[in-house]
Amino acid sequence: MSSGGQAMAAPKLAPPPRLSLPIVVGIIIVLGVAAAWAWPPFARWPSEWAIPFRAWVTEGFVWFSAAAKPVTRILSWLLSWPLWFSEALLFRGFPALSLPPLPWVAIVGGVAILGHWAGGRGLAIFCGLAAFYLAIFGLWQDSMQTLSIVLVTVPLAAALGLALGLWATRNTRVERILNSVFDVMQATPHMAYLGPVVILFGFGQVPAMLATFAFALPPMARCTILGLRTVPPDILEAGRMAGCTPRQLLWKVEIPAAEKTLMLGLNQVVMQTLAMVVIASLVGASGLGQKLLFSLQQLQIGKAVEQGVAITLIAIVLDRLTQAYMAKVPSHTDPKNGFTARHPHISLFVLLLAASVAAAGFSHGFAVLPKEMTLSYGGPINNAVRWISKELFPYIKPARDALTIWLMLPLRNFYLWLPWPVMLGVLAAIGYHLSGWRLALLPVCLFGFMMLAGFWEPLMLTIYLVTGATILCVIIGIPIGIWAAHSPRVAHVTKGVCDTLQTFPSFIYLIPVIMLFQTSDVSNVIAMLAYATVPAIRYTYLGLLRVPSATLDAAVASGATPWQRLRKVELPIAFPEILLGFNQTIMMALAMVAITALIGSRDLGQEIYKALPGADTGRGLLAGLGIAFIGITADRLIGAWAMQRKRQLGMA
């Protein structure tokens, strides 16, 4: 006690030093490997200890299917009518009324007219030639079957997505729930949607349409939420001051102000629908997807190329039409003018339709192009494939084998050897280092569930394939993105190539892979590579473009060489954006996992594919959730890393 009667303050102890992440990871690896050596279940969770979630899910769906059969039958019946009408209009006709379908000439011309209305002469020519391709190469009926599902599914998915998005913007709790549901839905591969639909609705066109609808719904809802959340406050205030009711404010102010974002959502719905329609051929959807799948299974590469080009052209036409409409400047005409002057494109189509129907009455060739008038280039492609197999494969094989020996096999053996406590512990340590306990527990819970369900080995094989593809995507994509950011000419070419690659349905990438690499793990990775490199290129390019010019000028003034400027200034600042591209690359590689199962694998995608014939919903759904869990874990970890880097750079 001092003379003033006050006790002396105890010395404040410094907090214990926090172990760095590499040290923590090293400790986890040592302890995990030692535990696996001491007790085998720490190396591989025994299959007899697996919890039968798979059987429970399958039995639950069977029970629910029986209980909900009256509802599913009514829903199928209701949806069959618009689908029947669309098919009758495009290719079946109306036999009860003795009415034929629309003549192919009218549809080709109508697509060209629609292209002119949306984007001018160039788009009209492209759309017309693309539609003519479907007819001249004998793919008309199959194309119309595919298009009929798209024409019915897109309005339904867009309408429900818009409604859910509106609901979410009015209720924060609903928005949180929907965002969590959409995260899982968008991370789940296409094929995983098919199992539950088969149990509930069986096989056929309507089940395929419902699976397509479920897959295409989230983008519209999310774009609706984004569009309405980003309406400028001054526009909303002006609407309120003008005396708008809440309903008027929504329909006359908010939705028009968010039109660009909503149209982007519609564009995504169209593309997702077309991608899913092809995959839905596995549950009985007729059309181009069914024919393409058959051609791939029979290794009829020439026919597969013809059908793949048709699917790609449909996708590009729909993409270009929606994009052109987004950029279209509204035109105003004098209401005193006649209908023809005010609506020239509609008038021209009506005239074309009348002329083509009249011509079809005299010659059936105007209604349906005769088979003897169609063309095919499948034969030369088959000859080319045989030539490639004979002449080029001896040169391709060493590269494939080297990639297998030096990258794929070491990765596969590593992931299959890795004890599960090490995998879960390392992911938890990384999550805790980046964002705390909540992120640390996420991979433990998700991957731990897959282990308890008996899916650990397929999970590791999936991670192995995605890791191999991601490594190659980064090695290729980042340098191309850097090159494009420093060369406008390269950027122009690169953006065109990326736009085209992203328009292709994922099935298409299997064709050149089978031609060049046959079937192997390397083939799966190369297919993922072609599909998933685009985000690595785009985000690297955008990240470097967004580096402040003042920062670059300061680096130049300090005497930095171009290489020093890139390595010490541009790449560090662009790193958070590059990480987002890395994240999207993983997501797109995961999306291809179920597709590449068609050419052979032992991963979760193969589990989904094997579950379809026997309607083993539990197997397919849990495998799909496993792929989604990988995507969610990667998304959260990489997102947290990007945010940490932004804070370190003072950007957040």
Side-chain angles (χ1 to χ4, degrees):
M1 185 74 65
S2 65
S3 60
Q6 295 180 348
M8 294 181 61
K12 190 175 181 180
L13 298 176
R18 184 178 178 182
L19 295 177
S20 66
L21 180 62
I23 294 176
V24 173
V25 168
I27 293 172
I28 291 172
I29 292 173
V30 170
L31 293 178
V33 172
W37 177 79
W39 194 44
F42 276 127
R44 286 290 173 272
W45 189 261
S47 58
E48 58 271 17
W49 292 3
I51 301 174
F53 292 119
R54 168 182 161 182
W56 295 347
V57 171
T58 300
E59 291 168 4
F61 265 95
V62 171
W63 173 85
F64 182 75
S65 174
K69 187 164 287 186
V71 176
T72 56
R73 284 181 175 176
I74 292 172
L75 184 59
S76 296
W77 180 79
L78 289 174
L79 292 175
S80 67
W81 281 103
L83 186 60
W84 169 84
F85 180 79
S86 177
E87 291 179 344
L89 198 64
L90 292 176
F91 69 95
R92 291 192 190 279
F94 302 88
L97 302 175
S98 300
L99 292 176
L102 291 175
W104 71 271
V105 176
I107 295 178
V108 171
V111 171
I113 292 169
L114 182 61
H116 189 274
W117 171 78
R121 184 190 304 171
L123 186 58
I125 294 172
F126 173 76
C127 292
L129 290 176
F132 184 66
Y133 173 94
L134 306 178
I136 198 64
F137 287 101
L139 300 168
W140 187 257
Q141 180 167 328
D142 295 324
S143 301
M144 293 303 104
Q145 284 182 304
T146 297
L147 190 60
S148 63
I149 295 181
V150 174
L151 293 179
V152 175
T153 305
V154 167
L156 293 176
L160 184 58
L162 179 66
L164 290 175
L166 292 174
W167 188 20
T169 58
R170 268 54 182 172
N171 189 315
T172 306
R173 180 178 297 177
V174 170
E175 183 177 3
R176 285 199 301 268
I177 294 172
L178 285 179
N179 279 331
S180 299
V181 172
F182 291 155
D183 282 344
V184 176
M185 290 178 69
Q186 291 191 292
T188 302
H190 310 55
M191 216 177 285
Y193 286 81
L194 303 182
V197 169
V198 168
I199 289 288
L200 295 173
F201 297 93
F203 290 82
Q205 295 287 87
V206 172
M209 187 175 70
L210 286 167
T212 304
F213 168 81
F215 185 72
L217 175 66
M220 187 69 204
R222 288 199 140 154
C223 284
T224 301
I225 296 171
L226 176 64
L228 296 181
R229 291 285 189 216
T230 54
V231 174
D234 54 339
I235 294 180
L236 296 176
E237 188 61 31
R240 294 189 187 97
M241 292 180 64
C244 290
T245 63
R247 178 174 296 181
Q248 290 172 329
L249 188 68
L250 172 64
W251 293 105
K252 296 186 176 182
V253 178
E254 292 183 77
I255 288 181
E259 182 181 6
K260 295 291 185 184
T261 308
L262 296 179
M263 286 303 301
L264 178 62
L266 180 63
N267 175 268
Q268 291 301 304
V269 168
V270 170
M271 303 310 294
Q272 298 281 55
T273 298
L274 191 59
M276 188 65 184
V277 161
V278 178
I279 295 165
S281 61
L282 293 170
V283 295
S286 302
L288 287 172
Q290 187 181 62
K291 293 296 178 66
L292 176 59
L293 179 62
F294 178 79
S295 298
L296 288 173
Q297 290 172 336
Q298 300 297 317
L299 293 179
Q300 298 175 355
I301 304 300
K303 288 184 178 180
V305 170
E306 288 183 349
Q307 295 148 2
V309 169
I311 294 170
T312 302
L313 287 175
I314 294 174
I316 293 174
V317 166
L318 294 175
D319 178 62
R320 296 297 184 267
L321 285 174
T322 51
Q323 287 193 19
Y325 180 75
M326 289 166 56
K328 184 177 174 63
V329 178
S331 59
H332 301 280
T333 57
D334 190 345
K336 296 180 181 179
N337 294 336
F339 182 87
T340 302
R342 287 184 286 116
H343 304 285
H345 294 91
I346 296 177
S347 302
L348 181 59
F349 176 70
V350 170
L351 180 62
L352 173 65
L353 179 62
S356 59
V357 169
F362 291 99
S363 174
H364 187 65
F366 286 99
V368 179
L369 192 67
K371 188 174 182 180
E372 57 271 15
M373 295 181 64
T374 60
L375 306 175
S376 175
Y377 53 86
I381 289 180
N382 287 330
N383 293 334
V385 171
R386 284 192 288 269
W387 182 85
I388 288 171
S389 299
K390 182 180 178 181
E391 302 294 336
L392 295 186
F393 190 69
Y395 301 99
I396 296 173
K397 186 176 182 296
R400 187 194 69 175
D401 293 345
L403 195 59
T404 301
I405 294 170
W406 296 106
L407 176 63
M408 303 308 300
L409 287 179
L411 268 178
R412 188 192 67 183
N413 294 337
F414 170 74
Y415 279 115
L416 290 178
W417 163 83
L418 197 63
W420 62 264
V422 174
M423 184 71 174
L424 299 184
V426 168
L427 290 175
I430 294 172
Y432 180 78
H433 175 77
L434 294 173
S435 189
W437 281 112
R438 180 175 294 183
L439 187 56
L441 290 174
L442 178 71
V444 174
C445 294
L446 297 185
F447 286 14
F449 173 82
M450 295 304 297
M451 181 186 69
L452 294 176
F455 284 85
W456 185 257
E457 184 171 323
L459 182 76
M460 290 298 101
L461 289 171
T462 303
I463 295 175
Y464 138 71
L465 287 175
V466 171
T467 302
T470 303
I471 290 171
L472 294 177
C473 287
V474 169
I475 291 173
I476 295 171
I478 290 180
I480 294 176
I482 293 171
W483 190 17
H486 293 87
S487 172
R489 182 177 297 178
V490 173
H492 179 74
V493 175
T494 302
K495 286 191 287 186
V497 172
C498 288
D499 287 343
T500 304
L501 289 175
Q502 285 196 312
T503 306
F504 289 167
S506 49
F507 254 109
I508 305 303
Y509 294 96
L510 301 183
I511 298 173
V513 164
I514 294 175
M515 289 172 57
L516 297 174
F517 296 94
Q518 299 181 356
T519 55
S520 64
D521 282 356
V522 172
S523 303
N524 294 2
V525 168
I526 297 298
M528 295 179 192
L529 176 69
Y531 187 65
T533 306
V534 172
I537 297 172
R538 283 192 185 279
Y539 280 85
T540 301
Y541 169 74
L542 293 174
L544 292 174
L545 284 187
R546 291 172 183 171
V547 175
S549 57
T551 305
L552 295 176
D553 293 340
V556 172
S558 64
T561 64
W563 169 246
Q564 291 173 327
R565 191 167 66 244
L566 173 67
R567 186 167 56 90
K568 296 185 176 181
V569 179
E570 296 179 70
L571 286 177
I573 294 176
F575 189 67
E577 196 95 13
I578 295 172
L579 279 179
L580 296 178
F582 181 66
N583 184 17
Q584 289 302 304
T585 291
I586 294 174
M587 296 298 133
M588 295 184 74
L590 285 169
M592 280 294 292
V593 163
I595 308 301
T596 57
L598 298 173
I599 57 175
S601 63
R602 293 188 297 140
D603 56 9
L604 291 171
Q606 191 65 221
E607 295 292 313
I608 299 172
Y609 186 54
K610 289 179 179 177
L612 287 176
D616 190 350
T617 310
R619 183 181 188 179
L621 193 58
L622 289 177
L625 284 176
I627 296 174
F629 290 165
I630 296 172
I632 291 170
T633 300
D635 177 68
R636 297 297 186 271
L637 292 176
I638 295 172
W641 188 11
M643 183 56 64
Q644 186 184 79
R645 287 292 299 163
K646 285 183 178 180
R647 285 195 294 266
Q648 291 171 353
L649 295 169
M651 299 167 61

